[in-house]
Amino acid sequence: MNLVEEWGITLAVFLPLLGAIVIVLTPKGMESIQKVLALAATGAALLVGLALTFAFEHGEPGMQFEKSLSWIPSIDSNYHVGIDGISLPLLVLSVLVCFLCIIYACWHIPEPGNAKAFLALILLLETGMNGSFIALDLVLFFVFWELVLVPMYFLIGIWGGENRQYASIKFFLYTLFGSVFMLLGFLALYFQSDPHTFDMLLLQESGVLDIPAGLASLIFGGLALGFAVKVPMWPFHTWLPDAHTQAPTIGSVLLAAVLLKMGTYGFMRIAIPILPGPAMQFAPVIAVLAAIAIVYGALCCLAQTNLKRMIAFSSVGHMGFVMLGISTMTPEGFNAAVFGMVAHGVVTGMLFFLAGSIKERYHTYEMPELAGMGLKIPKMAGLLAFCAIASLGLPGLAGFWGEVMALLASYQPLEGLDPTIFRGAMVVGAIGTVLTAGYFLWMLQRVNMGKISEKWKKVKLADVETLEYAAWLPLLALILVLGLYPRLIMDTTTSSVTALTETITGRSSGDDAHVAQVTDH
Amino acid sequence: MVTTLATAAEHGAEVAASTGAPLEMAWLIPIIPMVSAAVIWGVGKRFPKKGAEIGILAMLAVLAGALVVFFDTIGHIAADEGWHGYERAVTWMNFGPGTTLELGFKVDGLAAVLLVVVGVVATMVHLYASSYMHDEVRVTHFFASLSLFTASMLNLVLANNTIQMLVGWEGMGVCSYLLIGHWWEKHENSSAAIKAFLTTRVGDVGFMLGIFVLFWGAQSFNVGVISEMATAGDIAKGTLTVGAILLFCGAIGKSAQFPLHTWLPDAMAGPTPVSALIHAATMVVAGVYLVARMFPVFAAAAPVALEEVAIIGSITMLIAALLALVQDDLKKVLAYSTISQLGYMIAGLGVHAYTASVFHIWTHAWFKALLFLGAGSVIHAVHSNKMSDMGGLYKKMPVTSITYIIGGLALAGFPPFAGFWSKDELVLGAYTQAMEGSGAAMFTFIAMLVTAFLTALYVARMLALTFFGKPKYDEKHVHPHESPKLMIVPLMILAALAVAGGWVGLPGEMNQFGKWVHLPGSEHEPFNMMIAVVSTGAALAGFGIGWAIFRLGKVKVDLQKTALAPVYKLLVNKYYLDDIYWKFIVRPVRDRLSAAAYWINMKVLDGAVNAAGIVAVKTGDFMYRDVDQGLIDGGVNNLAGLMGLAGSKLKFWQTGNMQRYAAAMFLGVAVLVGAFVFFRI
Amino acid sequence: MPLNWVLVLTTFLFCVGVYGVLARRNAVIVLMSIEIMLNAVNLNLIAFNGALEGDRLIGQVFALFVIAIAAAELGVGLAIVLLIYRNSFTVSLDEVNLLKW
Amino acid sequence: MQGLIFLVVAATSGFAAVRLVTNKNLVHAALYLVVTLMGMAIIFLLLTAEFVAWVQVLIYVGAVIVLLLFGLMLTRAQIGKTALDRQQRWVAGPVALVLFGVTAPVLWRFFDGRTISLDRQSGNTEALGTEIFTKFVLPFEVVSVLLLAALVGAVFLAKKD
């Protein structure tokens, strides 16, 4: 256990990298060996993640398994890592989804092949993603954050769909554009703090208390822009449908399940606790944008005929719920956000898997051509229906709690925020749930139901295969388990998000009475 | 926090004080069908009847459990007048530091009555369906969904908190969706399923928001806590009113009240057993149950919230009864009749007739389930839904006919059938309130009497057209015969209940039901002979006129040719509500608004991104080609030339020539250095 | 010797190199121009090394490194030019537009 | 005296550099490069950097020029008077002038009054060697690896497959 506590999170991050290096060293063409290596690396990371979960003191608000090693002494940047109740679920989600993606890759490597490069890039991607969730140093965070871009760029650009060049460059430049502002924000934080530091926890405690309000808002704006592009918040979302649609199945799954969460995580780990004052100022804006995103995403989904693109747009709406939860600044809202992130990762990741497997069979994402899938491949259709229903927020399945808690929290945002705006956002978001149900049901009607089109009547298609089941069953089980037993996540997060809210109230007003009121529901 | 937790604790202690063993196990009742649903989905296909037998077994277990719980409950009630019920809960999760959500169950008279209703009807429907659906496609899925539906309904009934109710509520919604769309090869059926889900979901938004409002008012999801605080006046009246009205929106959707009632007739696209179970006896009364469960909130929010409830219910019962008059589809007659009867229950709650409304749930379940199953038997025999294809079936299928007629008479409200007793109490409740000077109650009272008349009228029409007169079906090809035993037996059991089910609520000291389901503050009115006579008179008049028109042919009325033609047209078109929703809400949102949003996405937002990218990439070239070469060096010869130049140059902005890029770079460096030094930025 | 003199010379040489890089179409000449720019930089390093009056010779060490790297760069650069020439029979930069996408 | 030599050499190499980038004959351009580089070597000597100066002569005037001439010959560029300009003069000229116009005054103003001390009597090769092989030994090794890599890369690129 000591190994886990001391080096667990480091292992979770760098085991995949090690795997990637080993895979690169293997000769070309030995696909099965490369697959086994990739499975071993991600599986080891998953085991470490599970061990961490068991070693973790659930219910403790602070950082655990902290580790700080000197890294770049000249700017006082350290290899400082640690996890708390907010990062643990995301880390576990990341290692799990990566492992399942590798299983799926064993079933099928997309065109134009080259398993070696494909697997190595996924492993590299996993390192970046895991690293982002554990970094407690801004420079370290930034390195991991940017590390994610490169493999994803190649995954889209090489193994993507017809329009992959455009999508990959757009993805890369857009996110890079956002991270430039984020980096400027980091540098500003460094120079404004006294003593100069990149350490998130130090910055949170004492770092930037006395900076002028205008500058603080500016810094927050920069950070928020960087994170918002990644989330993506409306109106910075336009890279997402293209990237999702063009990416290979595994790329879409990882994008949806983990990458988007880095943005929302950034808000909760960096932007809000370090700059709570500006966060309170910006919260109504975020809430309004989130409400817009919910309805807007749903409307755009209604306009789609392409299955995968529709799922991509649904992410805009779902991340809107997450952002709505964050904007309330209450423990309920933050809980909703973390839960929503995990649920969205599981459900939408699963939907992308399904879309990919459907494409493997039908060679198209166009819904009219898929009609009658329920007759052709009933198991696949059943899974699609299950995931669609989970995604539209049916109670008892994973998608529900994030949405309902976000809406619940926005009825009563943190003291100091204007409840009227948030209640308006709540109503709009609630209407969004109807639209969400609408597009998913119409999708099911067009895809699953109806009669089989002439083109496919005579063709025999394979239903869900064993390896696909292997990759999907954990996710399907999670959808159900999270829906029925939400404590699985809540017990871990609640104390941490409560501490987060206390940071905000303690820092933005400096008044202890507020803290007492907020916690005293 | 401290106060509310203490309240919850006291509350729990109080209700837990007087308990017996059977009640402690009540939580198992919803678990049984849930497990059975999972089993059917998993391995049901391998069974000889494709999973039906598992469902039936589970339902029998549910029924047994429900009866045990029921009798235990009434035993408690008999022993102790002030018994509030039994409640147990575990923590489901903590939303935040002080916001706890429980997973629990609560058994009191109301829940016990509903348990019996669900248990009996579900069992009958399963038995019936195992024969009715025998040769159909996807039988396994059918029975799994039925089981899951039953689990959701039972969960709703037993839930001790609002969120758990929402879970059951939405679970029923999705099962209803799956079952309405059972024959989804046909587009109409899947569309009806979607319509049902979305329409009720509109109401659910209100329900959900109502839960939130009440939660922040009471700091609890617990039904008991909310009710107590509402009654004690611990929640602001404004909050209560908003919360109650929002909750009622949920009931409007689920119980198919005006203006969201339009989904229920379309839901008849599903198999008939589904209509009997879900769209007559159980799911659609969930809205009524919700209002009854949260009645202290509504009562505390009176008069606004309650009057709204009464008026909506009254409008619904009237317009639906009128619609039932002109339907040709047997199931649609029953569907509108269901809407109308639900209006009765809702309006009854609105006029404080709490016990009477729940009593009507109880009686309505028996005769309406009976009518639907009977209709299924008829449809099975003549292979058509339309009454214009039936007639004279009395001789061919006597058992179905007799049971059906019993159901019809119970629906029309003739003594001593079940429907009479509950309807009479409802009318009496409205009358009492009206006499106290409530305008809304007066409206309700009149609406109830008119509806009683109309109900009897369409029942007469339905019975006459279906079972009497000359056969209208194609006698060469269709040979109606009595249905198999498995379908007949449930009919007979339900018929017995439709006759005798109301006798538990006989007026006066005999009234057991009033003791089972009782809410302090909504007292039971003593029997009033005048009201009973008036309402029975209305029903008799309606039935007489109907029988005269449709059976005996004494009065010839051709609605389409008299002055009533516009009315007829209005009714046939269902008040154009469907058209309005379709044309002004669904189509604009689904097709146009979404297209507009997508257009904005692609042209404005995405366009801006792309434009920014292009501009950034090509500014350097623009400076050279168009400013330097185009304007200064080349000069502008004429406007047309400029246009052409611009067009052609725009195309070649990007030359890929690295020297030009390098030039731009060096120039940039020079400019930056200059700026830094000379302007000391 | 005044530092200014040397600085003006190096700036001049550097700008001449820039001009050559930008204006000439022959890749080999462009490479020569780059050498001139590098040399200007070297001269700068040495001049500052002298002007800053330290005991150490860091500027000269850097100049040596620059020379070494310039040699490497030139080797690779010429190899690329040869490669381009072999593929397209030209070394004119206006006919080489690999950066266009 | 040193100032005078500097001015003369500077003028010569500056002129040669300008001719290099403007003349039309490729071989002449290479010869002008020799002049420029030799001038630079002389200035290095003037500034008491004799080791660097000799390295300059050996590597640049010796090796690099030869390499460039080989390059010219191997690419069979038109040797003789051909239009070597890209008609880009009007971009390149202003850019270079602006760069000079901006940078030179800035440097002049900032470093006005500083002088380069030329009073070292003995050679400094030993000091330079000490510097490289003590403080800069790692970069030195890295550079050697770089050279090796460049060598391999150049061979790989230029070899005919």
Side-chain angles (χ1 to χ4, degrees), chain B residues 210-234:
Chain B
I211 291 174
F212 300 160
V213 172
L214 290 179
F215 171 78
W216 290 110
Q219 299 294 355
S220 172
F221 293 112
N222 188 295
V223 171
V225 173
I226 295 175
S227 303
E228 272 172 28
M229 289 182 72
T231 314
D234 290 341

Side-chain angles (χ1 to χ4, degrees), chain A residues 131-163:
Chain A
S132 303
F133 291 133
I134 61 154
L136 292 179
D137 184 280
L138 291 179
V139 178
L140 191 63
F141 178 84
F142 189 77
V143 168
F144 283 126
W145 174 282
E146 295 293 314
L147 180 61
V148 167
L149 281 188
V150 181
M152 194 40 102
Y153 170 78
F154 285 115
L155 282 180
I156 299 174
I158 297 175
W159 288 273
E162 302 81 24
N163 208 3

Side-chain angles (χ1 to χ4, degrees), chain A residues 114-185:
Chain A
N114 193 353
K116 177 174 157 183
F118 189 72
L119 295 170
L121 283 173
I122 293 176
L123 292 175
L124 188 61
L125 187 64
E126 183 178 358
T127 297
M129 296 188 302
N130 293 353
S132 303
F133 291 133
I134 61 154
L136 292 179
D137 184 280
L138 291 179
V139 178
L140 191 63
F141 178 84
F142 189 77
V143 168
F144 283 126
W145 174 282
E146 295 293 314
L147 180 61
V148 167
L149 281 188
V150 181
M152 194 40 102
Y153 170 78
F154 285 115
L155 282 180
I156 299 174
I158 297 175
W159 288 273
E162 302 81 24
N163 208 3
R164 55 179 177 270
Q165 303 270 320
Y166 171 74
S168 58
I169 289 177
K170 188 171 175 183
F171 162 76
F172 193 88
L173 288 183
Y174 210 145
T175 16
L176 201 64
F177 162 80
S179 35
V180 167
F181 288 93
M182 189 179 83
L183 182 63
L184 286 179

